[in-house]
């Protein structure tokens, strides 16, 4: 007899900013059993609340959700992640009946926010409505307060981070905020936590549309676990297991790449022709020695930071110690930021890169998209699609970090050219016209990231089939995609599974499932978990399909099929369209989706419990 | 007027501001005797203990250069010291850091300062406690556990005035938290001699070693430590 739901509080905090009212809503246990939490449960709530397609993502109706998972709050190593789920302001299909058609967006953020949501007594926070003037939300267990944020509006995320905590007078609060980019509705604005951890891919724009500067919380609660003793012993095992992997002399992705931070990918990726360089035209960066791991380590890093209960600490902070940018204090360039503001713009000045990363984070914009947008504009300028006047007088040349900084400021403020540039490459190329969309490197309207696809068609599949638009984290095949959708829904960090790409070290063969079984009292096998991942991925797809996204949207920018790599070992190589199409056919087949339309097939949906039987 | 002695008979590196109250608390930590002065009626009374051997207390030390702010220490401390009764069996709790006796204060630029009781030889927290000395035990409501040197509260005698919390906050590490009844809580217990935070810190930032008041940053408020370290390491902001 079990009438208590273990592992969950079973309730959401629902806040309506239009009315200022809030309530706690019960989560049906069927939902947590099917969709876990995080990305999955967020998707289910989005599906339930947006009942028709075409709802404007920037309208009060669009819910903005902060979703921890069933692992969150427990001291499971690296169970630190939270998903922000909402309808995307960045994406659009080729054809649709609805002017505001867009995909789901989910964005994963590390740090301490998700665990603290659970400490406050909730399995998620759902924000709807729109405040009439800027506000922030303070939550302390049951107590919820909406306060005036006028004095913080317009403030960069770094200064805000320092001043807001003074205002609260208590360092135990965990906060997510937006910067000017979010306030000004830059479509790829992000949400920032601890001044440098970011949830990107457009979620900050939705937060800005609600006039919500920040949300902060702390709490004293904790959900119960079903089998306390089993949980404790699994916890102990996984701590030991991870320690072993981390301190073993042998090679593992976990102890090599992750302990050195993602910056360790910089040189690796360039040496292996997988880097985004020169607005994706090249795959290797001649100046990589100046911005790669050694340079970053030598010139910038000196502190490591870890997320909640994480033994890895992939976040490397530091400061610029010399040169014109001396005194800049920030996270050192990591793979995405270092590539998108570095190699992609052919900038080889590590100090300048650190400065522009700081500024991007301070404005609160997604640096993947911003670097992609600036790369696109640099190419358009080089090819004379646009002139200096179009760029408000900025001489936007390759390698010029100051020109890039000026663009970042324009975008953050949505000033002049920044107004257009703040809408993403798809919108800019539409405006410029003349087939410039060929080198607008986006899928479904979302910009590609720092992994190039010329050598790695699997990465191409990842970008093309992702449910939020171009996403390098999506996975190169169905199996990996389902696995990651599940991880994003548990609240654990992907990096911790890197030693084998399958489980939490030390927790046994079915480690993830065993932990969840001990927590929830429901037996979770690996198969059942992966099936949950598949269910989640399919519900996202159903949502997108309803909006009008079809097979024609699951593609890659034309560049990769028609323009060979310009230089380096891959020179002359490009992707073969037939090969890509074949892979996509296979992909749909494995998914059980219609290969012509990409519509999810009934039998599979039925099996996943996504159709009424 | 205040005299401080510690186990090495050396002066504190940081002078302690005189107590607001009329009490003098003098204590030779673990020295031949614990001499306790307290105000009882109008007379000063002396209570002594017969422990002859010198005792050197141990505490949790932090290497701030290694701390990553992961808060594993908070979680394991909470588990151990805030246990949960499951089927009438007392088990480790689930580790909400809210109940931890060590608390990591995070700053921007990135800097994490775990704050933990320093086992201050002069214990301003005890000195500020207005509850009279119990003549038999030589204890106020807040007292030192002779064996470990940790601070304990006698909830039966504590009046919940919060003076100890304020004393620690103003003069030292700010580790005392007042519970719902305003009685002091969450002061390091040293976990029956097996500090969990030290054992589980994934970055070896913590150690269990002798109380050394001369040590840099000993007994300081995390805000003060952070200012100094930010200045030293980042050299950009105060
Ligand atoms: S466990 Fe160690 S590294 Fe983590 S916060 Fe505590 S002292 Fe710092
Ligand atoms: S650190 Fe605070 S609680 Fe601990 S002995 Fe010193 S004053 Fe008392
Ligand atoms: S709160 Fe209790 S222990 Fe603290 S000073 Fe007051 S009476 Fe003493
Ligand atoms: S020694 Fe024990 S009680 Fe003290 S801070 Fe560490 S874990 Fe907590």
């Amino acid at each position: 007899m079990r009438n208590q739901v273990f592992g969950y509080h079973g309730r959401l905090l629902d806040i309506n900013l239009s009315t200022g009212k809030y309530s706690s809503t019960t989560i049906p246990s069927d939902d947590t059993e099917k969709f876990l939490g995080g990305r999955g449960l967020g998707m289910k709530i989005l599906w339930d609340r947006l009942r028709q397609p075409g709802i404007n993502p920037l309208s009060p109706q669009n819910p903005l959700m902060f979703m921890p998972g069933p692992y969150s709050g427990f001291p499971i190593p690296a169970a630190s992640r939270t998903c922000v789920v909402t309808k995307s302001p960045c994406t659009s299909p080729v054809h649709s009946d609805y002017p505001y058609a867009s995909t789901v967006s989910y964005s994963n953020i590390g740090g301490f926010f998700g665990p603290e949501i659970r400490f406050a007594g909730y399995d998620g926070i759902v924000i709807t409505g729109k405040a009439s003037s800027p506000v922030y939300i303070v939550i302390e267990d049951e107590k919820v307060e909406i306060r005036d944020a006028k004095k913080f509006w317009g403030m960069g995320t770094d200064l805000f981070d320092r001043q807001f905590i003074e205002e609260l007078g208590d360092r135990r609060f965990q906060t997510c905020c937006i910067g000017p980019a979010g306030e000004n509705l830059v479509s790829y604005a992000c949400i920032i936590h601890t001044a440098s951890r970011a949830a990107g891919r457009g979620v900050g724009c939705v937060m800005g549309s609600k006039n919500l500067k920040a949300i902060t919380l702390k709490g004293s609660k904790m959900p119960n676990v079903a089998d306390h003793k089993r949980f404790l012993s699994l916890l102990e095992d996984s701590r030991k297991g991870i320690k072993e992997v981390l301190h073993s002399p042998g090679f593992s992705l976990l102890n090599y790449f992750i302990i050195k931070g993602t910056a360790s990918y910089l040189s690796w990726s360039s040496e292996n022709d997988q880097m985004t360089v020169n607005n994706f035209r090249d795959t290797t960066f001649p100046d990589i020695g100046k911005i790669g791991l050694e340079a970053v380590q030598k010139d910038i890093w000196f502190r490591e930071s870890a997320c909640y209960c994480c033994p890895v600490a992939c976040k490397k902070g530091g400061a610029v110690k010399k040169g014109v940018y001396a005194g800049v204090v920030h996270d050192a360039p990591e793979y995405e930021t270092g590539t998108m503001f570095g190699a992609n713009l052919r900038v080889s000045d590590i100090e300048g890169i650190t400065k522009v990363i700081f500024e991007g984070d301070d404005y609160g914009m997604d640096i993947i998209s911003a670097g992609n947008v600036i790369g696109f504009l640099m190419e358009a300028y080089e090819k004379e699609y646009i002139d200096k006047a179009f760029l408000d007088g900025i001489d936007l040349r390759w390698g010029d970090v100051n020109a890039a900084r000026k663009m970042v400021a324009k975008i953050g403020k949505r000033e002049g050219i920044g107004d257009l540039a703040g809408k993403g490459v798809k919108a800019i190329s539409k405006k410029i016209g003349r087939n410039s969309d060929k080198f607008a490197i986006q899928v479904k309207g979302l910009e590609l990231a720092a992994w190039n696809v010329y050598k790695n068609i699997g990465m191409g599949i990842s970008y093309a089939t992702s449910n939020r638009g171009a996403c390098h984290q999506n996975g190169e095949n169905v199996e990996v995609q389902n696995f990651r959708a599940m991880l994003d829904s548990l609240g654990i960090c992907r990096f911790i599974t890197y030693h084998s790409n399958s489980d939490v070290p030390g927790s046994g063969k079915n480690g993830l499932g065993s932990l969840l079984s001990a927590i929830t009292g429901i037996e979770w096998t690996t198969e059942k978990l992966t099936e949950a991942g598949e269910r989640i991925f399919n519900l996202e797809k159903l949502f997108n399909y309803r909006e009008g996204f079809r097979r024609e949207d699951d593609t890659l920018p034309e560049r990769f099929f028609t323009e060979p790599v310009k230089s380096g070992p891959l020179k002359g190589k490009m992707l073969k369209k037939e090969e890509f199409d074949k892979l996509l056919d296979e992909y749909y087949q494995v998914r059980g989706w219609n290969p012509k339309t990409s519509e999810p097939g009934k039998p599979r949906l039925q099996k996943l419990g996504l159709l009424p039987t | 007027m205040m005299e401080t002695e510690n186990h090495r008979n050396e002066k504190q590196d940081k002078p302690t501001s005189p107590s607001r109250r009329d009490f003098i608390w003098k204590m030779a930590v673990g020295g031949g005797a614990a001499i306790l002065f307290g105000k009882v009626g109008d007379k000063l009374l002396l209570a002594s203990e017969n422990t002859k051997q010198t005792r050197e207390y141990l505490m949790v030390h932090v290497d701030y250069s290694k701390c990553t702010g992961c808060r594993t220490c908070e979680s394991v401390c909470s588990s151990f010291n805030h246990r949960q009764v499951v089927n009438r069996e007392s088990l480790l709790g689930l580790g909400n850091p809210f109940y931890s006796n060590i608390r990591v204060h995070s700053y921007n630029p990135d800097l994490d300062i775990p704050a933990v009781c320093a086992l201050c030889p002069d214990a301003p927290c005890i000195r500020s406690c207005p509850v009279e000395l119990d003549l038999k035990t030589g204890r106020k409501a807040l007292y030192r556990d002779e064996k470990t040197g940790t601070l304990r509260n006698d909830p039966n005698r504590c009046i919940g005035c919060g003076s100890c919390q304020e004393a620690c906050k103003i003069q030292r590490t700010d580790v005392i938290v007042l519970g719902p009844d305003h009685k002091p809580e969450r002061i390091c217990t040293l976990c029956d001699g097996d500090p969990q935070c030290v054992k589980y810190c994934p970055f070896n930032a913590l150690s269990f070693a002798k109380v050394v008041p001369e040590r840099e940053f000993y007994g300081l408020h995390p805000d003060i430590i952070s200012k100094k370290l930010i200045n030293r390491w980042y050299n950009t902001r105060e």
Side-chain angles (χ1 to χ4, degrees):
Chain A
M1 270 246 312
R2 205 174 57 85
N3 38 28
Q4 189 190 350
V5 188
F6 289 102
Y8 296 90
H9 294 290
R11 52 185 207 145
L12 296 168
L13 176 61
D14 237 298
I15 304 172
N16 184 327
L17 288 175
S18 298
T19 60
K21 293 219 165 76
Y22 62 91
S23 60
S24 117
T25 341
T26 308
I27 307 169
S29 60
D30 189 48
D31 282 1
T32 44
E33 208 176 324
K34 278 184 166 159
F35 299 95
L36 302 170
R39 175 173 157 189
L41 186 58
M43 184 61 238
K44 178 62 167 48
I45 299 165
L46 193 71
W47 180 255
D48 289 345
R49 301 213 180 179
L50 298 184
R51 290 173 176 275
Q52 322 95 36
I55 287 162
N56 183 350
L58 301 187
S59 70
Q61 229 185 313
N62 187 19
L64 176 72
M65 295 173 271
F66 293 85
M67 303 298 297
Y71 278 15
S72 306
F74 298 119
I76 301 167
S80 64
R81 312 288 302 189
T82 318
C83 252
V84 184
V85 186
T86 188
K87 187 170 188 263
S88 176
C90 301
T91 50
S92 54
V94 178
H95 299 103
S96 175
D97 300 337
Y98 316 102
Y100 291 112
S102 73
T103 61
V104 56
S105 188
Y106 51 85
S107 189
N108 202 285
I109 186 169
F112 307 89
F113 199 72
E116 204 66 45
I117 293 177
R118 298 260 285 178
F119 300 151
Y122 310 98
D123 300 319
I125 297 175
V126 182
I127 297 158
T128 51
K130 177 184 178 173
S132 53
S133 63
V135 294
Y136 67 86
I137 301 172
V138 189
I139 301 162
E140 213 178 324
D141 291 328
E142 279 79 26
K143 225 169 73 199
V144 180
E145 244 184 275
I146 300 169
R147 295 189 195 153
D148 182 20
K150 275 195 214 86
K151 68 174 164 189
F152 294 120
W153 205 248
M155 196 179 274
T157 61
D158 185 62
L159 185 63
F160 177 79
D161 183 67
R162 283 178 280 135
Q163 294 205 345
F164 188 56
I165 208 77
E166 300 295 331
E167 161 119 345
L168 294 171
D170 181 352
R171 283 186 187 274
R172 303 302 282 180
F173 277 102
Q174 298 298 337
T175 305
C176 275
C177 73
I178 54 169
E183 297 168 10
N184 298 327
L185 306 182
V186 170
S187 70
Y188 45 90
C190 51
I191 293 175
I192 301 266
H193 169 53
T194 67
S196 57
R197 293 179 169 101
R201 324 276 52 192
V203 293
C205 180
V206 175
M207 189 152 158
S209 76
K210 303 199 172 307
N211 258 329
L212 180 59
K213 178 72 181 177
I215 169 164
T216 189
L217 49 95
K218 67 169 195 170
S220 60
K221 300 193 177 70
M222 191 70 141
N224 273 320
V225 295
D227 190 338
H228 205 101
K229 278 190 173 163
R230 183 177 172 199
F231 175 75
L232 292 177
S233 99
L234 283 165
L235 184 62
E236 197 63 25
D237 290 348
S238 59
R239 279 177 181 149
K240 277 206 198 94
I242 287 171
K243 207 167 170 182
E244 260 161 44
V245 178
L246 290 177
H247 298 145
S248 69
F251 174 86
S252 84
L253 267 184
L254 191 63
N255 69 18
Y256 179 68
F257 287 128
I258 309 310
I259 291 187
K260 287 189 168 19
T262 64
S264 58
Y265 283 120
L266 286 163
S267 320
W268 186 89
S269 158
S270 178
E271 280 154 21
N272 290 279
D273 311 303
Q274 306 219 9
M275 194 171 231
T276 289
V277 185
N278 208 8
N279 196 29
F280 294 81
R281 281 179 289 182
D282 288 314
T283 56
T284 174
F285 186 46
D287 278 343
I288 192 66
K290 293 188 188 157
I291 70 166
L293 177 69
E294 282 83 50
V296 178
Q297 240 170 340
K298 183 170 133 290
D299 293 336
I300 315 287
W301 284 12
F302 54 82
R303 280 199 70 75
E304 307 201 317
S305 300
C307 299
Y308 187 64
C309 286
C310 175
V312 176
C314 72
K315 180 169 131 69
K316 317 292 178 185
V320 177
K321 289 161 234 155
K322 57 182 183 2
V324 260
Y325 305 112
V328 175
V329 173
H330 201 53
D331 271 21
E334 37 93 50
Y335 182 69
E336 290 298 329
T337 56
T339 303
M340 296 314 288
F341 275 166
N344 190 40
L345 310 183
R346 287 158 54 183
V347 174
S348 55
D349 160 10
I350 188 77
E351 279 127 13
I353 295 172
T354 308
K355 173 78 177 173
V356 68
I357 292 171
F358 168 79
E359 288 170 337
D361 281 344
D362 199 37
Y363 278 111
M365 64 181 71
D366 184 329
I367 289 175
I368 292 176
S369 290
N372 185 312
V373 162
I374 297 171
F376 170 83
L377 288 171
M378 282 180 169
E379 185 172 344
Y381 185 54
E382 169 203 315
K383 291 179 166 166
E384 297 182 355
Y385 280 72
I386 54 176
D387 60 10
K388 221 162 144 178
F390 185 91
L391 295 169
D392 298 341
I394 301 173
D395 190 19
L396 197 61
R397 282 176 200 280
W398 295 108
D400 185 344
V401 75
N402 275 311
R405 290 179 53 210
K406 283 181 197 150
M407 275 308 304
V408 165
K410 292 266 178 196
I411 294 167
K413 296 181 192 145
R414 289 286 295 276
E415 188 186 276
I417 173 67
D419 186 44
L420 174 64
K423 293 178 179 152
V425 280
K426 189 173 180 179
I428 312 169
S429 72
K430 207 171 187 175
K431 174 91 185 193
I432 295 175
R434 291 184 290 149
N435 294 328
S436 61
D437 56 316
K438 279 196 176 156
F439 59 93
I441 312 300
Q442 48 82 22
V443 174
K444 300 182 179 74
L446 193 69
E447 290 77 16
L448 271 75
W451 291 99
N452 213 327
V453 298
Y454 280 111
K455 194 180 178 180
N456 184 358
I457 200 165
M459 186 54 82
I461 293 292
S462 176
Y463 284 126
T465 59
S466 159
N467 286 325
R468 60 172 174 175
C471 168
H472 61 294
Q473 303 272 17
N474 182 42
E476 65 275 12
N477 61 44
V478 171
E479 198 191 333
V480 176
Q481 291 180 357
N482 293 344
F483 178 73
R484 291 183 182 169
M486 176 267 289
L487 279 185
D488 289 351
S489 305
L490 288 178
I492 196 161
C493 180
R494 261 180 58 196
F495 286 170
I496 209 75
T497 66
Y498 266 25
H499 76 119
S500 67
N501 220 356
S502 66
D503 244 319
V504 183
S507 51
K509 237 194 151 21
N510 172 32
L512 290 167
S514 311
L515 275 164
L516 192 61
S517 309
I519 292 172
T520 59
I522 297 164
E523 267 322 298
W524 283 91
T525 57
T526 308
E527 294 71 51
K528 198 173 156 186
L529 271 177
T530 336
E531 193 184 69
E534 184 178 12
R535 182 179 301 118
I536 291 157
F537 200 95
N538 273 272
L539 187 59
E540 290 169 349
K541 176 65 188 179
L542 280 175
F543 181 92
N544 293 349
Y545 191 84
R546 187 176 71 181
E547 297 277 322
F549 290 86
R550 298 294 181 267
R551 177 170 178 149
E552 61 189 348
D553 296 290
D554 289 353
T555 187
L556 287 173
E558 213 182 299
R559 156 154 292 165
F560 301 119
F561 301 117
T562 57
E563 267 183 72
V565 178
K566 281 186 69 178
S567 67
L570 277 197
K571 189 174 169 184
K573 228 198 129 200
M574 55 188 181
L575 296 186
K576 296 193 186 72
K577 187 81 169 73
E578 319 82 72
E579 196 191 332
F580 177 80
D581 286 340
K582 215 177 122 242
L583 277 174
L584 206 55
D585 282 338
E586 283 167 25
Y587 174 87
Y588 291 133
Q589 204 202 346
V590 180
R591 279 255 172 249
W593 296 356
N594 183 326
K596 284 210 180 66
T597 61
S598 78
E599 183 179 15
K602 291 245 155 66
R604 185 65 59 90
L605 293 181
Q606 204 127 34
K607 183 176 157 273
L608 294 171
L610 289 173
L611 282 183
T613 26
Chain B
M1 62 174 243
M2 197 204 75
E3 286 173 21
T4 305
E5 284 175 41
N6 60 43
H7 59 285
R8 284 188 177 176
N9 212 16
E10 284 158 342
K11 287 279 174 220
Q12 280 281 109
D13 64 337
K14 177 180 179 293
T16 307
S17 48
S19 164
R20 291 184 270 118
R21 297 169 201 280
D22 272 341
F23 307 110
I24 308 163
W25 172 258
K26 184 186 174 191
M27 180 165 184
V29 178
I35 306 153
L36 313 168
F37 293 97
K39 196 178 177 191
V40 177
D42 282 317
K43 282 181 283 173
L44 277 176
L45 283 184
L46 179 135
S48 71
E49 281 189 18
N50 313 329
T51 38
K52 277 274 170 326
Q53 86 266 42
T54 303
R55 185 172 277 146
E56 289 188 321
Y57 289 131
L58 303 177
M59 67 173 278
V60 174
H61 291 275
V62 187
D63 179 343
Y64 303 106
S65 70
K66 286 189 183 158
C67 175
T68 64
C70 72
R71 299 169 71 200
T72 304
C73 51
E74 294 186 354
S75 178
V76 292
C77 178
S78 162
S79 288
F80 190 88
N81 293 287
H82 192 77
R83 299 173 82 86
Q84 205 163 316
V85 179
V86 183
N87 299 328
R88 278 188 242 123
E89 195 180 345
S90 163
L91 298 174
L92 292 179
L94 294 171
N96 183 339
F98 183 84
Y99 300 101
S100 173
N101 304 337
I102 182 168
R103 272 181 308 283
V104 182
H105 298 236
S106 297
Y107 296 87
N108 170 0
D110 280 341
L111 185 65
D112 299 284
I113 308 289
V116 60
C117 174
L119 272 63
C120 309
D122 61 335
C125 49
I126 301 179
R127 274 196 290 116
S128 72
C129 178
V131 173
E132 295 184 344
L133 276 181
D134 180 313
L135 289 182
K136 272 209 215 93
T137 58
R139 287 169 176 171
K140 294 187 178 184
L142 194 70
Y143 62 96
R144 191 185 293 274
D145 174 85
E146 274 299 312
K147 219 173 110 219
T148 60
T150 54
L151 285 295
R152 299 229 174 139
N153 179 247
D154 179 351
N156 296 322
R157 299 191 69 217
C158 175
I159 56 169
C161 68
S163 307
C164 52
Q165 190 254 351
E166 193 154 308
C168 181
K169 180 178 171 172
I170 293 169
Q171 301 176 42
R172 299 294 152 87
T173 58
D174 191 11
V175 291
I176 299 181
V177 173
L178 297 180
D181 50 3
H182 289 274
K183 294 178 185 174
E185 280 184 3
R186 292 174 244 164
I187 312 171
C188 176
T189 65
L190 292 176
C191 301
D192 306 335
D194 182 20
Q196 300 293 297
C197 53
V198 176
K199 187 163 157 187
Y200 284 98
C201 169
F203 300 93
N204 298 318
L206 302 177
S207 53
F208 187 37
K210 268 187 249 170
V211 176
V212 182
E214 311 59 44
R215 218 173 130 128
E216 193 183 17
F217 306 125
Y218 173 83
L220 294 183
H221 193 285
D223 285 354
I224 299 175
I225 302 174
S226 84
K227 282 213 175 77
K228 291 187 185 215
L229 284 179
I230 286 174
N231 212 6
R232 182 176 306 169
W233 289 340
Y234 293 92
N235 196 21
T236 51
R237 298 176 189 139
E238 28 64 288

